[in-house]
Amino acid sequence: MMAIDRHSYGVLRGFDERMHTYGREDMDFAARARRAGLRMVWVEDQKARMYHMWHPSSADALQDSPAAIAALKQNRSIFDNDGTVARNRTIWNNSLPEAPPLISICLLSGYESIKDGRLADTIALQNIRDVEVLVSATGGQVQAATIESLVREVDCQVGDLDSMLEVAAGKYTIVLDSSYCLPETFLEELLVDAQGSVRAVVPRQLAFDPETNGFGFMPIGDENRTNTLLGVLAQTDILRSLSREQNISTINPGFLEILNSLGAEVLFSENAICLVEAKESVQSSIRRYEIPSEIRRILWPLFSDSDTSRIAKITGGPVETLASEKFDGSLEFSVVKRDDEITSRLGVLGNASLTDLARLRNLGCDFTVDLEPIDQAENSGRGIRWIISEAMFAIGQSDVIPHAVIVVEGEHDGRGFATPDARPLCIKVERLGLDDHEKATLFFSNNALETSNILEFADGRVRFILSQPDWEIGS
């Protein structure tokens, strides 16, 4: 048993929700509390008593369950190998409303940092949503709709890092300016690397030149970037302490040396990669195919390939509400219902801009992003594929394999057959698209006679027939 204040519980983000059933979850939580710098106090007082009800060994009881054994193995692996402090970083199902953000993002150039929208959109795209964006309340404002809910204005002058650090609520802080562009897993990769005694994580930085379309990774230790505070994820309390005692700034090339002199462990990440717009001309030192795919998706507008489109494939979330949203790209979507219950949602947003992707993220949509030739971009479910999918799903769920599936236009309940006993099994399906609405009824026949009766009942409204043995389409 462990008593902990709610703020610290929020910093740790509770028990690791990947761990379940039994084993190591309490030890893991205590270990993370120590890593976070919390002082552990054992209470040895006769008045403070705790009673534990006897029960058979949980480990022994679980040996008959393969699923429980697998869970126990996973729990042990997490405890042994995951040295991070905060868990449930992308999804925290049992979150505290008052929990502090994971990361404070300081924009020292104020609203000027997000004037062109690129940095704001890539912040909104992060798979870690629990962040705050600190910006000076002076120096004018710029509309940044995609991160409006994340912005917290600080009563200070533009560039006043000390004042920002004093109010930063995140366990970690990162300082950025308008030259940065972040792949969607960037912050998560930094946090994954902030394990054990690591107090600061330096990302790999890929310089890009929009004028020449040149790309090149900056060498570790390049004093123009990787040895400064910009782009580095560091524990907020350390930065706050340094700002009070020493002169640190975003352009100070000795920032990492200061950390090292204090004994703070710094890790140079191999996995966290950010994009930095070059101040000087850059000629490509790497080939495009060598750039990680998540980077290419962000950089797509800089490529000269006119026959390639950034395609967002939307697989979940409130797809049916997207018709009322405005996007830069072209939207198609399909919401399929089976007997009035939604069974699938699918959308495709072609030529999607960064702002489009940020909007989708803010709307709660699940999506993947690919670069595809325009003529090969998948549509959102038009035609008959969606009907065939529904029919095959129903066949897979049935104990009896039907003789045929007759697809009839419109909604029908099967009434109109000669006798009630002759009414076959039927399922109503519909697809709601951006500019169309299709309805159909799937009739399942058990033999040739039933098939004949359904065809007579449909009276020319048959769209197509799926028949044995290979469920080929017939007319």
Side-chain angles (χ1 to χ4, degrees):
M1 181 177 180
M2 178 179 178
I4 185 172
D5 66 275
R6 290 177 68 84
H7 177 81
S8 298
Y9 184 87
V11 170
L12 301 176
R13 301 177 75 78
F15 284 84
D16 191 323
E17 293 178 355
R18 294 173 299 173
M19 305 175 82
H20 60 89
T21 305
Y22 168 77
R24 301 294 198 279
E25 73 286 346
D26 49 354
M27 297 166 61
D28 175 76
F29 185 82
R32 290 192 285 124
R34 292 189 184 93
R35 289 188 208 118
L38 300 181
R39 189 166 64 94
M40 309 290 283
V41 177
W42 291 86
V43 178
E44 296 184 7
D45 190 322
Q46 298 232 348
K47 294 180 181 178
R49 295 185 178 182
M50 180 178 69
Y51 297 91
H52 185 261
M53 184 178 292
W54 181 90
H55 58 79
S57 168
S58 298
D60 292 342
L62 297 176
Q63 294 308 309
D64 294 332
S65 169
I69 294 174
L72 180 57
K73 183 177 179 179
Q74 173 180 276
N75 292 358
R76 286 174 175 167
S77 176
I78 293 172
F79 176 73
D80 292 339
N81 300 310
D82 192 334
T84 57
V85 171
R87 302 288 170 77
N88 312 316
R89 293 179 291 269
T90 57
I91 299 176
W92 187 12
N93 294 316
N94 300 291
S95 62
L96 295 179
E98 71 273 25
L102 274 171
I103 299 174
S104 296
I105 301 174
C106 293
L107 303 182
L108 283 198
S109 301
Y111 283 103
E112 190 68 24
S113 301
I114 50 178
K115 186 175 181 179
D116 67 0
R118 184 177 62 202
L119 176 60
D121 290 341
T122 59
I123 290 174
L125 259 177
Q126 295 300 298
N127 64 345
I128 288 183
R129 308 288 294 161
D130 195 1
V131 303
E132 65 173 359
V133 179
L134 302 181
V135 61
S136 169
T138 64
Q141 291 190 350
V142 174
Q143 186 67 28
T146 54
I147 60 169
E148 185 176 4
S149 63
L150 305 177
V151 170
R152 182 157 68 98
E153 290 189 338
V154 181
D155 185 15
C156 68
Q157 294 298 312
V158 173
D160 186 352
L161 177 60
D162 293 349
S163 295
M164 286 190 170
L165 290 175
E166 285 299 323
V167 300
K171 171 72 175 176
Y172 299 91
T173 291
I174 187 170
V175 183
L176 300 171
D177 66 16
S178 60
S179 64
Y180 279 78
C181 194
L182 315 177
E184 61 186 304
T185 61
F186 175 69
L187 295 179
E188 165 72 354
E189 295 288 1
L190 289 174
L191 286 175
V192 168
D193 283 335
Q195 299 204 22
S197 59
V198 172
R199 298 294 178 260
V201 182
V202 181
R204 295 184 72 192
Q205 300 193 3
L206 178 65
F208 69 94
D209 184 349
E211 298 297 327
T212 65
N213 278 359
F215 306 92
F217 280 108
M218 293 183 179
I220 299 297
D222 184 337
E223 291 191 354
N224 291 322
R225 287 288 175 184
T226 58
N227 202 24
T228 69
L229 178 55
L230 277 171
V232 177
L233 183 81
Q235 288 189 358
T236 303
D237 56 353
I238 290 180
L239 293 180
R240 189 178 293 135
S241 176
L242 286 176
S243 72
R244 293 169 180 165
E245 300 173 6
Q246 302 193 42
N247 179 27
I248 65 168
S249 71
T250 58
I251 60 173
N252 186 343
F255 169 67
L256 297 183
E257 280 80 357
I258 294 174
L259 287 182
N260 287 324
S261 68
L262 296 175
E265 184 176 341
V266 178
L267 184 141
F268 289 86
S269 177
E270 289 294 325
N271 299 314
I273 304 174
C274 61
L275 309 169
V276 183
E277 185 172 345
K279 303 299 183 184
E280 300 176 356
S281 178
V282 173
Q283 300 301 319
S284 292
S285 59
I286 56 175
R287 299 180 183 275
R288 289 182 183 176
Y289 67 82
E290 296 176 316
I291 301 174
S293 58
E294 64 271 19
I295 304 287
R296 293 201 304 272
R297 292 195 292 266
I298 296 295
L299 281 173
W300 167 75
L302 303 178
F303 289 171
S304 58
D305 303 332
S306 59
D307 60 342
T308 301
S309 174
R310 183 199 279 133
I311 306 293
K313 297 178 182 178
I314 310 161
T315 56
V319 176
E320 60 269 33
T321 68
L322 298 182
S324 61
E325 300 291 332
K326 291 184 179 180
F327 295 98
D328 299 325
S330 57
L331 173 70
E332 290 188 21
F333 71 82
S334 171
V335 178
V336 177
K337 295 182 179 180
R338 183 189 309 125
D339 288 340
D340 298 324
E341 294 289 331
I342 294 178
T343 58
S344 67
R345 295 176 171 91
L346 175 65
V348 173
L349 186 59
N351 291 316
S353 66
L354 280 179
T355 301
D356 286 341
L357 301 183
R359 288 192 187 116
L360 290 177
R361 184 77 77 200
N362 287 336
L363 290 168
C365 292
D366 300 322
F367 60 91
T368 59
V369 181
D370 292 301
L371 297 179
E372 296 185 356
I374 293 175
D375 60 354
Q376 293 182 18
E378 294 184 9
N379 62 37
S380 61
R382 295 176 184 271
I384 63 175
R385 287 188 301 169
W386 70 277
I387 300 179
I388 295 174
S389 295
E390 290 300 306
M392 298 310 297
F393 176 83
I395 292 171
Q397 296 294 106
S398 175
D399 294 332
V400 179
I401 303 299
H403 173 265
V405 180
I406 298 92
V407 180
V408 180
E409 295 282 1
E411 284 189 348
H412 307 281
D413 58 9
R415 295 176 184 175
F417 283 85
T419 64
D421 293 340
R423 187 183 305 171
L425 171 67
C426 62
I427 295 176
K428 294 179 290 183
V429 296
E430 63 177 306
R431 186 187 74 83
L432 175 65
L434 184 62
D435 52 11
D436 60 344
H437 191 182
E438 297 180 78
K439 292 186 177 182
T441 304
L442 311 182
F443 287 94
F444 297 81
S445 68
N446 293 315
N447 50 55
L449 178 59
E450 281 192 5
T451 299
S452 177
N453 289 337
I454 294 170
L455 292 175
E456 182 179 350
F457 163 79
D459 191 25
R461 292 167 295 178
V462 175
R463 187 165 178 180
F464 61 89
I465 301 171
L466 291 171
S467 58
Q468 293 266 38
D470 298 319
W471 299 113
E472 296 178 345
I473 299 176
S475 57

